[in-house]
Amino acid sequence: MLLISRPVGVFAGSLTNYLTSAKFLLYVGHFLSTWGDRMWHFAVSVFLVELYGNSLLLTAVYGLVVAGSVLVLGAIIGDWVDKNARLKVAQTSLVIQNVSVILCGIILMMVFLHKDELLTMYHGWVLTSCYILIITIANIANLASTATAITIQRDWIVVVAGEDRSRLADMNATVRRIDQLTNILAPMAVGQIMTFGSAVIGCGFISGWNLVSMCVEYFLLWKVYQKTPALAVKATLKVEEAELKQLNLHKGKSNTTINPFTLLSRRLTVSKKIFFITGLWSFDLTVTQLLQENVIESERGIINGVQNSMNYLLDLLHFIMVILAPNPEAFGLLVLISVSFVAMGHIMYFRFAQKTLGNKLFACGPVEKDVPSEDQASTSAV
């Protein structure tokens, strides 16, 4: 009995330690956040279509406003993330995001219930004002969601993973699995609620979910922060100081030192394999980890903010292209343009790898450490 109970006790202890670890709590918080976010993004488009007489006009306006806002404000949001304490940024963006969704859901409920009355007030201007208010608040929620994503996925994860690159890669992959899972299941769930209930019930459910989720996520963020003391320390280096530090590091390195070049070359080697084997999502994971490992801590926010802005810029471009060529017979041209953009992205990434690695670009094996000479070994010993 003792021999049986001991492995069970060890397993139970290991399971308890994992379930109370900062990593697992971060996963739970991210799941709750993305579930509510995916439900809202799906539902708000459906709500706007239904409100405007089954027309896509309001939904298109909402999409353009959201994309344009992140395009313009992405870098500013990232800079705000960089210049403020981690816990303050995470909690503030979390509260703004969820309160905005709750408020927007309540307004939508009122509009659905009293649409006919609102339509007759001031020649319909009250209803138009409600549309503008809904889109504005929903846009604020999206901006806050952008800040949350930058904070948690591009900064907190790096700190929680510590110096372990394998652990960081594992955490990035798990976070992406959560993203894809909620992308599939959350719209299905809220869609079923709206199908068997109504749009009003859907609004109420999403508002209630975000209220409860906000409280739980707020607590989980605090627990992760308490379990990871490194989160309390945030670099405030200026660009010039960071560059000087990197320069001094290169000047003072010995043959036994694994410099930034070595780390980048290893990551690029992995990324080359992934790009040719597993496709878009794996490549995206690699680029994410490249940014996490090679962007200095004090600039993670603004760099990822600019990346989000560029993503939304191209998102706007694809909306414009579809608007200009909406007919089915033009679909082949859009496909060719899409393939061309993917090819250009690959060429630019290949050029980046070539400039970084030089003649080691096609080396698929791990980078070998240089063996120190006897003189260097004796000097180090002295």
Side-chain angles (χ1 to χ4, degrees):
M1 291 295 294
L2 181 62
L3 293 176
I4 296 175
S5 61
R6 184 173 297 174
V8 173
V10 172
F11 173 76
S14 301
L15 180 62
T16 301
N17 290 335
Y18 177 75
L19 294 179
T20 57
S21 66
K23 181 171 71 171
F24 180 76
L25 295 178
L26 199 65
Y27 293 156
V28 175
H30 182 67
F31 173 80
L32 293 174
S33 177
T34 53
W35 184 275
D37 202 41
R38 299 302 185 269
M39 283 199 306
W40 170 247
H41 278 297
F42 170 78
V44 69
S45 299
V46 177
F47 293 152
L48 292 176
V49 169
E50 190 169 342
L51 276 178
Y52 207 67
N54 293 326
S55 170
L56 291 172
L57 179 60
L58 275 184
T59 304
V61 171
Y62 169 69
L64 289 175
V65 169
V66 166
S69 296
V70 178
L71 173 62
V72 174
L73 301 176
I76 297 175
I77 292 172
D79 190 49
W80 174 73
V81 170
D82 285 332
K83 291 181 177 179
N84 291 275
R86 286 190 172 98
L87 186 60
K88 175 185 175 183
V89 169
Q91 291 178 338
T92 302
S93 57
L94 172 68
V95 171
I96 292 176
Q97 176 190 359
N98 286 276
V99 170
S100 298
V101 172
I102 294 169
L103 182 59
C104 207
I106 293 173
I107 296 173
L108 280 166
M109 289 175 64
M110 295 299 103
V111 173
F112 277 120
L113 290 172
H114 305 285
K115 182 179 178 182
D116 294 335
E117 293 90 331
L118 293 173
L119 188 60
T120 59
M121 297 174 63
Y122 297 97
H123 305 286
W125 281 106
V126 174
L127 184 60
T128 302
S129 300
C130 290
Y131 293 156
I132 295 172
L133 186 61
I134 290 169
I135 291 175
T136 301
I137 298 175
N139 184 45
I140 293 173
N142 185 74
L143 292 174
S145 176
T146 300
T148 301
I150 292 174
T151 303
I152 303 301
Q153 298 182 36
R154 303 304 175 91
D155 186 32
W156 280 48
I157 283 182
V158 180
V159 179
V160 172
E163 300 295 328
D164 191 338
R165 298 198 310 279
S166 296
R167 188 184 186 195
L168 177 60
D170 178 68
M171 292 184 70
N172 283 329
T174 302
V175 166
R176 189 50 52 87
R177 291 188 198 104
I178 293 172
D179 287 340
Q180 296 306 309
L181 185 66
T182 53
N183 267 333
I184 297 171
L185 298 181
M188 291 175 59
V190 74
Q192 292 301 310
I193 293 171
M194 294 170 62
T195 299
F196 294 102
S198 65
V200 175
I201 294 176
C203 291
F205 177 80
I206 292 174
S207 296
W209 173 276
N210 278 271
L211 178 61
V212 175
S213 178
M214 176 179 63
C215 299
V216 177
E217 289 176 58
Y218 197 94
F219 172 75
L220 291 174
L221 284 174
W222 180 79
K223 290 296 292 183
V224 172
Y225 187 81
Q226 293 295 320
K227 290 178 175 291
T228 314
L231 288 171
V233 182
K234 193 167 187 179
T236 56
L237 293 175
K238 296 180 180 178
V239 177
E240 295 81 3
E241 294 172 339
E243 290 176 349
L244 181 60
K245 181 180 179 180
Q246 293 290 338
L247 182 61
N248 291 335
L249 176 65
H250 284 296
K251 287 183 177 179
K253 68 180 180 180
S254 64
N255 287 334
T256 57
T257 302
I258 302 179
N259 59 66
F261 174 78
T262 302
L263 294 177
L264 184 59
S265 64
R266 289 180 178 179
R267 186 56 55 199
L268 283 172
T269 298
V270 175
S271 68
K272 286 184 294 180
K273 295 177 181 178
I274 289 177
F275 183 83
F276 287 108
I277 296 174
T278 57
L280 175 62
W281 289 112
S282 298
F283 181 71
D284 181 63
L285 275 175
T286 305
V287 173
T288 296
Q289 190 154 343
L290 272 172
L291 289 174
Q292 289 171 334
E293 291 185 356
N294 295 286
V295 174
I296 61 175
E297 182 181 338
S298 60
E299 293 183 358
R300 282 178 189 153
I302 192 169
I303 293 297
N304 286 286
V306 172
Q307 184 195 28
N308 281 329
S309 295
M310 294 300 297
N311 290 341
Y312 274 95
L313 172 62
L314 296 177
D315 212 25
L316 272 175
L317 185 59
H318 103 261
F319 277 123
I320 293 172
M321 285 192 296
V322 173
I323 291 172
L324 294 177
N327 296 326
E329 54 267 22
F331 185 72
L333 176 62
L334 296 177
V335 170
L336 291 176
I337 295 174
S338 177
V339 171
S340 299
F341 271 90
V342 173
M344 286 194 318
H346 175 63
I347 291 170
M348 287 188 286
Y349 183 80
F350 184 84
R351 179 57 180 159
F352 158 72
Q354 186 182 44
K355 290 176 66 176
T356 305
L357 298 179
N359 57 5
K360 297 182 179 180
L361 176 62
F362 296 100
C364 292
V367 178
E368 297 181 357
K369 298 181 182 179
D370 294 330
V371 179
S373 62
E374 294 183 0
D375 294 338
Q376 289 171 331
S378 59
T379 303
S380 300
V382 174

